[in-house]
Amino acid sequence: MIQKDEYFYGGSEPVYPSPEMTGSGEWKEAFNRAKEFVGKMTLDEKEAQISLTSGTNSETSCPGFLPAISRLKFPGMCLADAGQGVRGTDFVSSWASGIHVGASWNKELTLARGKGMGGEFRTKGVNILLGPVVGPAGRVVSGGRNWEGFASDPYLSGVLVGETVKGIQGVGVVASTKHFIANEQETNRNPNNGVEAVSSNIDDRTMHEIYLWPFQDAVRAGTGSIMCSYQRVNNSYGCANSKTQNGLLKTELGFQGSVVSDWGAQHAGVATAEAGMDMAMPNGGDFWGSHLKDAIKNGTVPESRLDDMVLRTIASWYQMGQDNDFPTPGIGMPKDLTKPHRIIDARNSSFKSTLFDGAVEGHVLVKNIRNALPLKSPKLLSIYGYSAKNPDENNPTDGLSPWLMGSGSFDYQEFGAGFFGWSGATPGTTGIAFNGTLYSGGGSGATSQSLAISPYDAILQQAYEDDTALFWDFHNGKPAVDPVSSACLVFGNVWAAEGADRPGLRDDYTDELILHVASQCNNTVVVFHNAGIRLVEEFIGHPNVTAVIFAHLPGQASGKALASILYGKENPSGKLPYTVARNEDDYGVMLRPDKPEGIFKYFPQSNFTEGVFVDYRHFDEKKIKPRFEFGFGLSYTTFGYSNLAVEKNGNRSFEEFPKGKTVEGGQEDLWDALVRVEAEVENKGEVEGKEVAQLYLGIPGTREEKVPIRQLRGFEKVLVGVGETKKVVFELTRRDLSIWDVRAQKWRLGKGEYNVEVGGSSRNLPLSGKFTV
């Protein structure tokens, strides 16, 4: 039995010292102004400087707050959750969650969501938005926080996080992209009762090609903050890991912003400072504050390291223009909503269409037979299932309320057992939220609902307009069913939250409800509000289950968006951002979180032995047939693909390794477009629709490297009219064509034949071509 941490020393390569900010590229002016700011602090003011390295209390509900320095006209900074909208306050919107954005595959809509969401944070006086999320990356299929991220694919996640960062920061709010890095499970995410946090053990190539990839896109987009994670990486805590922070982030990716700890993720003082962490939240605790001052005085931590910590934070403040006409930090974040407070309405009516369109496009239709959908003025509709209606309560109470934590539909005692460590319940035992529909998952990433339209609300309104008779039963597992119903709608959900991983990928109660209704209703439509992958084998083949929709977590426009799809006012266009298997075991070692066992009872280990073969790469490699493949989604029309053209860019270098200088995101020539691919998409159906054209690349590699059969390297979502043909264009960069060379420590452009495939999903690729390097 391993008793001491010393056993693992050297498992994560040491990289010192922490690189100082250079002010390169677009950060030059902010860097110079921040340098002047820090230079105005006299030796006697080092204590004020140290105060900018950790949070303090405030008269707001900001989860994190940096103190003001009045002499330098610095008003302080509010840090607030989260990547799906402002949490814990009133007069804000509930935006579609990350998984829903991923299912939309829509770059333009993602950018607009970032702008609209960022604008609400700004109006509320939030300087740093604690999001977006690209870690977890979906490696653990039952992970409790997968819904906060975009997809189980690094390329899709990378594109969407880049657009999100641009949108948020385009309105002057700092994006804190999280959680860096390999934070893939909630089980044992923190040390507890003598057991250390789980260690994500990852080889160098997998780290770069899967887990670092989307963070690279966030840094390239200019993210001003990165949040380091709870768990250990190769047995070194995330916020004290010099390899990931100093080596990967600040050196290899040229990151110019600051690294902030996740709340309570700091487990050492000098070690975190030297390893590149710049800000401790929610406070300095037992490690920084006066202890950091002592470490600087006795020379343990160089004064230059303190200067760089503050420089990076203040530079991001200047970079977003927050020194000019930014609201008072936390002005719209009252400490207690149940007491009189000033109304700061952050909602912007011009983004109502973004909220609605975002909700619509994240719905994925995966089955639709016998023209079950769209509905056409049905005579009688019957609605069943716990996820059709709003929860019975949506009301802020003082303190840690279900409303604050996004768990109004769930058992709050069980949620608290996972998130807060309460006794009296076992976390991760209940897989569904019985008490109402889901607009987001639970925990610090939850949204604040001050307006929400449930599916039942929206369908009721449409039924009234159509003079449709309506029956419903939201409570019984075996409801009475009127067999003359034109259609029966069954609503279930998949609950997930920070603090606990899911108990499984399906539940008996909901499956039995669906089968019970389908046995008596020959047109049964199933809708899941799912915070993660949901298996459907128990009922998908039933002849009376005519349609299935994965509705994900749409935010406040949920019901309105769903009704518009059910009735054909909107054509579904979402695609799965993950693979739905037939059986849980099909996911292999990635199904469940790792737990303490054997000699590692006190030091739980999660060995990423699958390497780069996650999600569809795993299914392709193992030749496993999924139920619904990555990238799959139906429409009310049909699309055809033709005229593939592949052309290399003769003006670019095809040398083996990049030679460019390091800029934000890595070597600058990694972004050179080397190959151009064109294809045409035709609408062969009878209604207008949007199609996501996807490009997958087969990259040559050595036998030892084991390169995936195909990898997503491009997608374009286009609106195509009836009988119309649209051209889609994909520009493939040097990074897109490369694999990570462990020996050279660079992206290597392989020599050989590249396979190009284009189509509507990862297993529906009618167009294929090749080019050689």
Side-chain angles (χ1 to χ4, degrees), residues 185 187-188 198 592-598 600-601 604-606:
Q185 66 178 62
T187 303
N188 292 109
V198 67
R592 294 185 177 87
D594 289 290
K595 297 182 179 180
E597 60 183 2
F600 299 109
K601 178 180 178 180
Q605 304 292 299
S606 182

Side-chain angles (χ1 to χ4, degrees), residues 476-550:
N476 291 310
K478 293 186 177 181
V481 178
D482 188 330
V484 303
S485 299
S486 307
C488 299
L489 309 180
V490 183
F491 287 86
N493 63 40
V494 171
W495 167 257
E498 181 181 2
D501 295 308
R502 294 168 54 197
L505 304 185
R506 50 167 293 275
D507 72 281
D508 290 338
Y509 178 87
T510 309
D511 286 350
E512 290 169 5
L513 169 63
I514 294 167
L515 291 171
H516 172 80
V517 173
S519 70
Q520 300 170 70
C521 181
N522 65 6
N523 188 19
T524 300
V525 176
V526 178
V527 179
F528 283 108
H529 289 98
N530 53 315
I533 294 172
R534 213 295 184 178
L535 301 191
V536 296
E537 290 308 296
E538 297 298 314
F539 60 83
I540 195 68
H542 196 292
N544 288 344
V545 175
T546 54
V548 177
I549 296 175
F550 288 125

Side-chain angles (χ1 to χ4, degrees), residues 59-201:
E59 292 304 311
T60 72
S61 61
C62 299
F65 202 93
L66 285 182
I69 302 177
S70 56
R71 187 178 74 83
L72 298 178
K73 297 181 180 178
F74 176 71
M77 297 179 81
C78 166
L79 295 79
D81 302 316
Q84 349 287 328
V86 190
R87 182 173 72 100
T89 192
D90 50 11
F91 298 101
V92 293
S93 304
S94 174
W95 296 81
S97 293
I99 191 173
H100 205 86
V101 176
S104 79
W105 292 64
N106 190 320
K107 302 173 191 176
E108 293 77 15
L109 197 51
T110 302
L111 177 65
R113 170 181 174 267
K115 290 179 179 178
M117 194 166 62
E120 294 191 7
F121 277 84
R122 180 188 177 100
T123 301
K124 287 291 186 177
V126 177
N127 303 81
I128 300 178
L129 183 162
L130 301 174
V133 170
V134 288
R139 185 247 175 192
V140 177
V141 181
S142 56
R145 300 190 77 174
N146 290 349
W147 61 274
E148 296 184 48
F150 300 109
S152 298
D153 175 81
Y155 182 90
L156 178 55
S157 291
V159 171
L160 298 180
V161 78
E163 296 299 324
T164 302
V165 167
K166 290 173 189 174
I168 292 168
Q169 298 194 162
V171 297
V173 174
V174 178
S176 184
T177 308
K178 62 184 187 183
H179 305 84
F180 193 75
I181 191 169
N183 185 182
E184 296 299 312
Q185 66 178 62
E186 294 300 281
T187 303
N188 292 109
R189 67 174 184 164
N190 277 315
N192 187 41
N193 292 329
V195 178
E196 296 295 328
V198 67
S199 176
S200 298
N201 300 326

Side-chain angles (χ1 to χ4, degrees), residues 465-486:
E465 293 177 10
D466 294 344
D467 201 26
T468 297
L470 205 62
F471 291 148
W472 63 88
D473 186 338
F474 304 141
H475 300 293
N476 291 310
K478 293 186 177 181
V481 178
D482 188 330
V484 303
S485 299
S486 307

Side-chain angles (χ1 to χ4, degrees), residues 581-655:
R582 294 170 182 265
N583 304 292
E584 286 194 343
D585 291 344
D586 290 346
Y587 294 105
V589 297
M590 295 170 284
L591 173 61
R592 294 185 177 87
D594 289 290
K595 297 182 179 180
E597 60 183 2
I599 64 170
F600 299 109
K601 178 180 178 180
Y602 302 112
F603 298 91
Q605 304 292 299
S606 182
N607 298 315
F608 290 29
T609 54
E610 73 285 346
V612 298
F613 294 96
V614 295
D615 200 74
Y616 65 89
R617 295 168 174 81
H618 162 77
F619 282 78
D620 288 344
E621 174 71 10
K622 300 295 184 182
K623 295 180 171 58
I624 300 171
K625 185 178 181 181
R627 169 54 64 184
F628 300 119
E629 70 270 20
F630 175 83
F632 174 77
L634 298 174
S635 169
Y636 292 152
T637 188
T638 55
F639 298 98
Y641 286 80
S642 62
N643 294 331
L644 179 72
V646 181
E647 183 180 6
K648 291 163 61 178
N649 187 340
N651 296 321
R652 293 294 188 182
S653 167
F654 281 78
E655 291 187 33

